[in-house]
Amino acid sequence: RLPNATIEWRPTYAPPTFPSITIPTTLRIYGTADTSRAHLIIGKSGTWAWDVVSPRNITMTGLTIQESGSMVFYTTQYSESDYFTLSVLLDPGVPSRTGNLSIEGGGSMTATNLRIVAQSLGVQRNGVLSVNAGGFTSNGPGSSISNGGASYGGVGGYNSNYLHAGAIYGNVYLPDRFGSGTSAASGGGMLYITVLDNLRVDGVISANGQPPSTSGGSIQVWTNSMDGFGTISVNGGAAASPASGGAGGRLAVYYLDIAYWRGQLNSFGGTVASSTLSGSCGTVYLQYSGTSYQNRTLVINNGGVANVRAEPLCSNCTDPGRAWLPDVPQYFDEIHILGGGSVGMNPSVVRPRALNAGKLIGDGTGSIIIDNNQLLLFQIGLFTATGINAYIEQGGRLHLPTQYTCNNNLILVRGELSGVLDLTIDSGCQLQLSAQGYTTGQAPGSYYFSNLIVQNTGQILQIQETAPMALFNFYIGNLVVRGGGQMYFVLMNIQATNITVEDGGQLYVTTINAVCSNPSGQGTGSVIGASGAGHGGTGGRGATATIVGQAFGNTLYPTSTGCTGGTYSGYAGGKGGGALQLNVTGILQIDGTVHANGQAGTVNSGGGSGGSVLMIVNQLTGYGSIQANGGTGGADATKPGGGGSGGRIAIYSILNQTFLGTVQAYGGVGTGVSRTGAAGTIYQYDITAATRTLIVDNGNQANQVPSATGIQTYADFSTESGRTIVVPTGTDLYGNANYTFNYVYVLGGAHLAFVSSPGSPSSNYTMFFWRVYGDHSGTLHIGAGQTAVMSADQSSTLITYNVQLYPAGILVLPPTSDVYGAQLWIGGRLAQVSNMSVHHGGALWCYPGGGTLIPNIADTYQFDVIRIQDTATWHMDLYSPVNQTGTTVITNSTIVEGGGLIVGPVMTFLVKNLTIDAGGAVSATGLGYKYTDPISQTGANGPVNIGRGFDGPGATGGGHGGSGGHGPGSNYTGFPYSDLYFPALLGSAGGSSTLGGFGGAGGGSIWLNITDTLFVDGTLSANGQAAQGGIAAGGSGGSIWLHVNTIKGHGTITANGGAGGVNLNLVNTAGGGGAGGRIALYFYNNM
């Protein structure tokens, strides 16, 4: 029995006179030691040990453990019921006996199972109070097998097969179990601390598991106040791969005052170099022990080791690497989830029981799992930012406050989201939604909010693992997407009172592992330089892929997703855009971006096609952008991929007068030898005015199909790169037919065609376009059997778009039609137009068989007046005179103004008046027979090339009105032919030289029957062509046969022969000139 005094145990040194004396440093108590009135000091290097056979209740009035001193308690191994109780209490009769337990720097107290009751307890810096490795070995309830980590407050790390971690156990609020271990190491022990006054920890209090792979133990702390900068921990044991880390244990602190606590309360999992094998954290519970608000707080913190998968491996299972709350009703005023920690409820905790949380607080790295039939109620506070990632699994439910703001965390919804009506997704927050998830009262895949705001890098998006073609429905009072905010899915339908997309905000649809809505729209792969995908039109041709993605989908009510571009080798084609529908009963304001764009291809792959955007709105306003653009093709330097087609956009609005932004459905750009995808379609319906507008615009992008390139066949568009296709798929929202539009815009190099169904020839139908506008670059295609009626309610129109009119197609124009800078390729019939002007670089191109509907004769054009002005051209030269008879013009007045040109090999003018102003020309020059045309056979216009010159070193010129000119050394020349009085035959080609060069072509034939006046201040010509290189010979002049009442002017009428070639480097080497042709003028008046 120790006296009522301060007793110090420390080693002494042997006296110099007896150096061999051994002085013990450890005092081990096997029997009873009455210390109840002593203040015990364990000095430097001294050890006081209580043996396993000692009495378990020990009382002192003070205890100080100094540097390198230690006190040790030995209890029965693995026995949770065998513990020492150390009471350090004040002695009221002796003021110096304060009941203080102090572990100074370098001192230690160790045990396996210990309970401490002290008036005050201090663990100084570098002091240690430890029950580390005091728990179970492999016989623990949370022990594992096959290198899995042991469990307790959480589940230990898993091995490489995600298996063999131990099971959770224990009590969050009153932890009283050992940690579990392995065959080689023990889990943490148990420590129960009661401090009547103040607990100060600047050192370490711990119940850690022993490496490798063990779980932490238990610590309960009951104190009046607590302060300090130290650490209290129940950490799991670390390990080395292939072993896994043990889980953290359980720590609970009950207090009246912790205002000055600055230390750490840790229940970390044991780490492994591969963090995926690290153990889960355990639990830390704090509670105010007074009678007022208890501030019950749960802390889940894994120290920055995010070792766990985002979601459980299975439904209703305690999978590895996660902390789990046991099977008791749960309420916490605060839940803190930090440092990569993750927590779930035990599968047996099911509704109506719930995990109730007043506040959720985190650092954005931790997570909480709400599994099947489980409920998390988060119900205190408005606009509370959590920083905790929440995973609501299918069948689970998360209840949030009515007004809630999410910051720097993830909320993933596969189950039910309830309570919240006014939701703000703010900086760093992601709301990921599943097609199985919903808000209360809605069907799966449907979500309701009164007010939804997305801003400052916040995102609302589809869970990537969700079936890619699932439709998401949103019912929202007011949706605001602010700058930096994003909301995007694959298929999204939003019904809202008002939607605002502010500058920098994005509302869009994209593809995530999606398949194509229509397989024919896929780009062609398996070759270097794959083609682009189709949708609103056909995809762009790749460097070597000539088969392109096909057009599909509804122009008037688009709901299809885009398609994937062609894939080559490891280079995946760009994905297609998704499908977005907005139904807004109030105002849709777009200052940011709304889009369904396709994805770009990579290297040799094709671009994805744009998707669909369908808007039904009361009022559209803003200055932003609406897009369904195709993705660019892969930009390989030698074999790039083709661009994807633009998608389809339809906008139905009552008021659309203040939207000043852009609406785009551009095709993706092709680079190098690849082609740009077709423009998509933009359909706008003004509900108030009942007007329909179709816009096809490809942005004047590079590498588009030239406007002169026609469609080979309407039966097969598989090789038709870059064509926008309107396909009939029913009526629009208001029952209007497919082929009637008030306004049509063909812009930016786009090609617009109409078909009856994909992959079949065009059938007989009529298209009504009340107004058509262009920028001189876009092209409208009118197929066989199609009738296009332009500006039917107008007497005149300005044509600023190109037209490809195919055989058996009809283009109906107003009586007065101006072709302004546009190109008309005419293979079918022009109808109704009587007064046509072509100017500013415009041109008419007459294909064989084309003409006007009246008189409906092939190659015959009848107008009242036609004017070819400034730099315009009427081309009648798209055929060979060997096989085609030529073109007939019937007018009251044909006028060729200065800079204008009518050109063709065989032309017949049956007109009342023909005017050729100064600088204007009607020409068949060089359009007669070519050197390569056969000789002397009978063609469509009589004998062919009968006066062709002879070949030789110095070739001879073609003959016609006379003989062709000799070349040096040539004895023969082209001979004369044709009728002097009625000249109608074409000029012949000159000979070619054996020293290089081809003979020039002969002049064509012009027959003019003018019943009134021919006024020529310009040129009327059918001249032969000069030699084409070397010392070949010139072609002969053609024929001009004129019947006219009155001829006037100061111009020229010529049928001259073409000049022979000359080589100035050789002596006596020159080709002969072509002979002049024949001109016959019959007139009454020459004025």
Side-chain angles (χ1 to χ4, degrees):
R1 178 172 182 174
L2 299 182
N4 185 359
T6 299
I7 307 298
E8 182 174 0
W9 169 256
R10 71 170 62 244
T12 59
Y13 297 97
T17 55
F18 300 98
S20 61
I21 293 177
T22 301
I23 306 298
T25 62
T26 299
L27 176 61
R28 187 158 185 157
I29 307 297
Y30 292 92
T32 300
D34 184 356
T35 58
S36 61
R37 302 190 67 189
H39 178 177
L40 180 62
I41 299 175
I42 301 175
K44 184 173 182 179
S45 300
T47 300
W48 189 296
W50 302 90
D51 194 76
V52 69
V53 298
S54 299
R56 295 297 188 257
N57 294 312
I58 302 165
T59 303
M60 302 177 186
T61 60
L63 174 60
T64 303
I65 303 173
Q66 296 180 335
E67 181 184 1
S68 72
S70 64
M71 179 172 281
V72 182
F73 298 86
Y74 294 98
T75 54
T76 305
Q77 190 177 23
Y78 312 139
S79 175
E80 293 177 324
S81 61
D82 183 17
Y83 55 87
F84 277 91
T85 299
L86 172 63
S87 300
V88 182
L89 301 173
L90 60 85
D91 184 346
V94 183
S96 61
R97 306 292 189 262
T98 60
N100 179 58
L101 169 56
S102 175
I103 304 174
E104 297 180 354
S108 67
M109 178 181 288
T110 60
T112 57
N113 193 348
L114 178 63
R115 298 191 176 193
I116 296 174
V117 180
Q119 190 70 34
S120 61
L121 171 59
V123 181
Q124 296 181 11
R125 183 177 180 183
N126 297 323
V128 173
L129 172 55
S130 166
V131 291
N132 293 348
F136 297 116
T137 55
S138 59
N139 59 339
S143 295
S144 62
I145 60 174
S146 301
N147 293 320
S151 301
Y152 177 23
V155 180
Y158 49 86
N159 70 3
S160 58
N161 294 318
Y162 298 94
L163 300 173
H164 307 308
I168 62 166
Y169 58 98
N171 191 309
V172 174
Y173 308 100
L174 300 171
D176 57 356
R177 300 297 306 272
F178 283 156
S180 294
T182 67
S183 60
S186 299
M190 285 195 293
L191 179 61
Y192 192 111
I193 300 173
T194 301
V195 179
L196 303 178
D197 191 358
N198 182 64
L199 169 63
R200 180 173 182 89
V201 181
D202 290 320
V204 172
I205 299 177
S206 63
N208 297 336
Q210 177 186 14
S213 306
T214 64
S215 57
S218 298
I219 297 178
Q220 281 189 53
V221 175
W222 296 77
T223 184
N224 180 66
S225 62
M226 184 170 76
D227 58 26
F229 296 86
T231 299
I232 303 176
S233 67
V234 288
N235 297 335
S241 182
S244 304
R250 297 194 188 278
L251 167 61
V253 178
Y254 293 82
Y255 62 91
L256 287 175
D257 182 5
I258 57 171
Y260 295 101
W261 171 250
R262 298 295 183 268
Q264 298 185 46
L265 304 175
N266 296 337
S267 182
F268 298 161
T271 59
V272 183
S274 171
S275 64
T276 59
L277 301 176
S278 297
S280 163
C281 58
T283 59
V284 176
Y285 178 72
L286 297 94
Q287 180 177 323
Y288 177 73
S289 55
T291 58
S292 60
Y293 179 67
Q294 293 181 310
N295 195 25
R296 290 158 291 193
T297 300
L298 175 68
V299 179
I300 304 295
N301 184 353
N302 210 25
V305 180
N307 61 315
V308 72
R309 297 153 311 289
E311 297 182 79
L313 290 170
C314 50
S315 177
N316 295 117
C317 67
T318 53
D319 66 334
R322 203 181 310 274
W324 294 92
L325 303 179
D327 185 14
V328 291
Q330 308 290 331
Y331 181 85
F332 300 100
D333 297 290
E334 295 183 9
I335 297 178
H336 298 240
I337 306 181
L338 311 163
S342 181
V343 65
M345 287 178 275
N346 192 294
S348 60
V349 180
V350 296
R351 288 182 272 184
R353 288 180 295 171
L355 173 60
N356 287 268
K359 294 182 180 180
L360 295 174
I361 300 171
D363 60 2
T365 65
S367 63
I368 188 166
I369 305 297
I370 303 100
D371 214 334
N372 182 40
N373 205 24
Q374 294 183 336
L375 170 62
L376 169 60
L377 291 172
F378 174 32
Q379 51 195 356
I380 298 176
L382 303 180
F383 298 100
T384 305
T386 70
I388 293 178
N389 302 316
Y391 295 84
I392 304 99
E393 299 302 318
Q394 193 165 357
R397 177 182 166 196
L398 171 63
H399 185 91
L400 295 173
T402 302
Q403 295 177 314
Y404 177 73
T405 297
C406 169
N407 277 289
N408 298 316
N409 62 288
L410 165 70
I411 301 176
L412 185 147
V413 182
R414 296 187 187 276
E416 180 181 356
L417 183 62
S418 66
V420 62
L421 295 175
D422 298 337
L423 177 62
T424 299
I425 305 300
D426 208 340
S427 176
C429 177
Q430 273 197 353
L431 175 61
Q432 292 191 11
L433 303 179
S434 158
Q436 292 79 41
Y438 56 94
T439 54
T440 302
Q442 301 298 317
S446 299
Y447 299 85
Y448 172 82
F449 302 99
S450 296
N451 296 285
L452 179 60
I453 298 172
V454 191
Q455 62 188 21
N456 297 332
T457 72
Q459 294 181 321
I460 302 178
L461 66 152
Q462 177 173 343
I463 299 173
Q464 294 192 10
E465 296 84 358
T466 296
M469 301 308 290
L471 174 63
F472 287 79
N473 294 296
F474 292 89
Y475 306 96
I476 304 171
N478 297 288
L479 170 62
V480 179
V481 184
R482 294 194 172 128
Q486 293 183 320
M487 182 172 180
Y488 58 97
F489 292 79
V490 175
L491 301 177
M492 179 165 52
N493 177 5
I494 302 177
Q495 298 186 37
T497 302
N498 299 292
I499 297 178
T500 300
V501 182
E502 296 183 0
D503 192 1
Q506 295 186 68
L507 174 62
Y508 64 98
V509 283
T510 184
T511 56
I512 306 174
N513 299 324
V515 296
C516 186
S517 297
N518 187 316
S520 69
Q522 295 288 133
T524 300
S526 302
V527 292
I528 302 177
S531 64
H535 184 194
T538 57
R541 172 180 55 78
T544 58
T546 57
I547 304 298
V548 297
Q550 296 299 285
F552 62 94
N554 190 331
T555 304
L556 310 180
Y557 200 88
T559 58
S560 301
T561 63
C563 288
T564 300
T567 296
Y568 174 72
S569 185
Y571 302 116
K575 301 291 185 181
L580 172 64
Q581 180 173 340
L582 304 179
N583 194 323
V584 183
T585 58
I587 297 174
L588 171 59
Q589 179 170 338
I590 302 174
D591 295 326
T593 302
V594 174
H595 78 76
N597 293 340
Q599 209 176 40
T602 56
V603 187
N604 306 117
S605 65
S609 53
S612 296
V613 177
L614 173 61
M615 296 179 174
I616 303 169
V617 305
N618 177 64
Q619 181 177 351
L620 177 63
T621 186
Y623 54 83
S625 180
I626 304 168
Q627 302 172 358
N629 297 330
T632 59
D636 182 74
T638 58
K639 294 185 177 178
S645 162
R648 298 193 187 274
I649 298 173
I651 301 173
Y652 295 80
S653 62
I654 294 176
L655 294 172
N656 184 5
Q657 299 174 348
T658 58
F659 181 69
L660 304 177
T662 60
V663 183
Q664 297 177 353
Y666 294 168
V669 175
T671 59
V673 296
S674 68
R675 288 290 188 193
T676 294
T681 57
I682 300 169
Y683 177 66
Q684 297 180 339
Y685 187 84
D686 186 321
I687 297 172
T688 302
T691 55
R692 312 174 71 212
T693 300
L694 176 65
I695 301 172
V696 180
D697 182 2
N698 218 15
N700 287 310
Q701 299 179 115
N703 289 343
Q704 296 193 61
V705 175
S707 57
T709 304
I711 296 171
Q712 297 301 307
T713 170
Y714 271 64
D716 182 9
F717 278 84
S718 64
T719 61
E720 293 292 342
S721 176
R723 312 292 190 175
T724 301
I725 308 294
V726 174
V727 182
T729 49
T731 61
D732 69 6
L733 187 63
Y734 292 87
N736 297 296
N738 285 277
Y739 300 127
T740 299
F741 298 97
N742 298 88
Y743 306 100
V744 175
Y745 293 81
V746 188
L747 310 167
H751 288 256
L752 172 60
F754 295 79
V755 299
S756 58
S757 63
S760 67
S762 57
S763 57
N764 296 324
Y765 49 80
T766 300
M767 303 170 293
F768 291 93
F769 308 139
W770 300 106
R771 303 284 188 281
V772 183
Y773 301 98
D775 60 358
H776 319 295
S777 66
T779 304
L780 173 64
H781 296 258
I782 303 169
Q786 298 179 354
T787 299
V789 181
M790 308 291 187
S791 304
D793 61 335
Q794 298 291 304
S795 60
S796 64
T797 190
L798 184 66
I799 301 173
T800 55
Y801 51 92
N802 305 314
V803 176
Q804 286 275 3
L805 178 61
Y806 296 89
I810 299 174
L811 174 60
V812 181
L813 295 172
T816 299
S817 297
D818 281 5
V819 180
Y820 177 26
Q823 313 288 305
L824 273 61
W825 288 270
I826 305 168
R829 295 288 185 268
L830 294 178
Q832 190 172 308
V833 58
S834 58
N835 188 336
M836 176 170 279
S837 297
V838 187
H839 50 90
H840 286 87
L844 304 180
W845 299 79
C846 299
Y847 285 117
T852 53
L853 193 58
I854 297 174
N856 199 18
I857 299 172
D859 305 308
T860 300
Y861 295 82
Q862 181 170 327
F863 304 97
D864 181 26
V865 177
I866 185 164
R867 294 175 180 270
I868 309 299
Q869 298 175 288
D870 48 54
T871 55
T873 304
W874 188 354
H875 289 273
M876 305 177 192
D877 54 351
L878 301 181
Y879 58 88
S880 168
V882 175
N883 304 313
Q884 299 292 329
T885 55
T887 304
T888 298
V889 178
I890 303 172
T891 68
N892 278 324
S893 180
T894 299
I895 303 168
V896 185
E897 297 183 359
L901 171 65
I902 299 177
V903 58
V906 180
M907 296 181 286
T908 298
F909 290 87
L910 306 178
V911 302
K912 182 176 181 181
N913 295 289
L914 172 61
T915 299
I916 306 174
D917 288 338
V922 175
S923 173
T925 295
L927 297 177
Y929 296 121
K930 298 179 178 60
Y931 177 81
T932 54
D933 289 336
I935 300 174
S936 298
Q937 77 171 41
T938 300
N941 295 287
V944 177
N945 248 346
I946 57 176
R948 199 188 82 175
F950 287 84
D951 299 338
T956 61
H960 183 193
S963 298
H966 284 279
S970 298
N971 297 321
Y972 301 98
T973 185
F975 56 86
Y977 59 93
S978 185
D979 193 298
L980 172 66
Y981 303 104
F982 307 109
L985 298 183
L986 284 69
S988 297
S992 293
S993 171
T994 56
L995 298 178
F998 281 92
S1005 173
I1006 305 175
W1007 158 236
L1008 303 98
N1009 190 347
I1010 301 172
T1011 58
D1012 194 345
T1013 301
L1014 169 63
F1015 190 98
V1016 183
D1017 275 344
T1019 61
L1020 175 63
S1021 64
N1023 300 331
Q1025 184 185 34
Q1028 299 301 289
I1031 51 176
S1036 60
S1039 298
I1040 299 177
W1041 184 6
L1042 170 63
H1043 279 256
V1044 62
N1045 180 60
T1046 301
I1047 185 170
K1048 295 181 178 181
H1050 300 84
T1052 59
I1053 302 174
T1054 59
N1056 300 331
V1062 177
N1063 189 331
L1064 299 179
N1065 295 321
L1066 298 174
V1067 179
N1068 296 324
T1069 53
R1078 297 190 185 274
I1079 299 174
L1081 304 179
Y1082 297 89
F1083 58 88
Y1084 289 100
N1085 300 297
N1086 182 358
M1087 302 175 67

